[in-house]
Amino acid sequence: VQLQASGGGLVQPGGSLRLSCAASGRIFNIPALNWHRQAPGKQRELVASVTSSGITNYADSVKGRFTISRDNAKNTVYLQMNSLSPGDTAVYYCNADIRVHAGRPTRNYWGQGTQVTVSS
């Protein structure tokens, strides 16, 4: 199983970016998909999460600006980021609890990270 993230880049303050992360390999289901970020000199933090039934949760710092969504048919999670500020600059990582066989416990997987830089 692999997670492949994409969509990062350089954006001006106030701008928007959309991150994508696709899971591939032998997958039975994905109960939870998450986005984390890590800024230079800071600990990695959970930004947003979405369950297979669509229940979402956000860090206070991104509520009202970021939207997480998923396409279960494509095993893909998205993070729409609006009203970006320099404080959002970080490497963004997707993360998933994946079950590869029915009746088996989930395992936690991480994508490779994608850089988001907010600067004028």
Side-chain angles (χ1 to χ4, degrees):
V1 174
Q2 288 188 327
L3 295 177
Q4 182 69 42
S6 61
L10 173 64
V11 63
Q12 292 188 340
S16 299
L17 278 177
R18 189 192 195 208
L19 306 182
S20 300
C21 179
S24 61
R26 188 182 183 111
I27 297 170
F28 177 72
N29 65 12
I30 308 178
L33 283 159
N34 315 295
W35 285 100
H36 297 247
R37 68 184 180 186
Q38 187 166 19
K42 295 187 177 181
Q43 289 189 329
R44 191 172 297 188
E45 63 173 346
L46 177 63
V47 175
S49 60
V50 59
T51 68
S52 55
S53 58
I55 298 172
T56 58
N57 191 37
Y58 297 93
D60 288 342
S61 58
V62 306
K63 281 181 181 177
R65 301 187 299 121
F66 291 11
T67 302
I68 189 170
S69 61
R70 62 187 287 170
D71 184 332
N72 291 330
K74 296 181 179 179
N75 290 328
T76 299
V77 62
Y78 306 96
L79 187 67
Q80 177 66 43
M81 305 184 293
N82 299 327
S83 302
L84 286 161
S85 69
D88 296 313
T89 295
V91 178
Y92 284 71
Y93 298 90
C94 58
N95 166 254
D97 293 326
I98 296 176
R99 182 174 287 109
V100 298
H101 294 288
R104 301 284 287 275
T106 60
R107 282 188 60 188
N108 193 252
Y109 295 86
W110 288 87
Q112 84 283 10
T114 184
Q115 176 70 46
V116 172
T117 303
V118 185
S119 175
S120 55

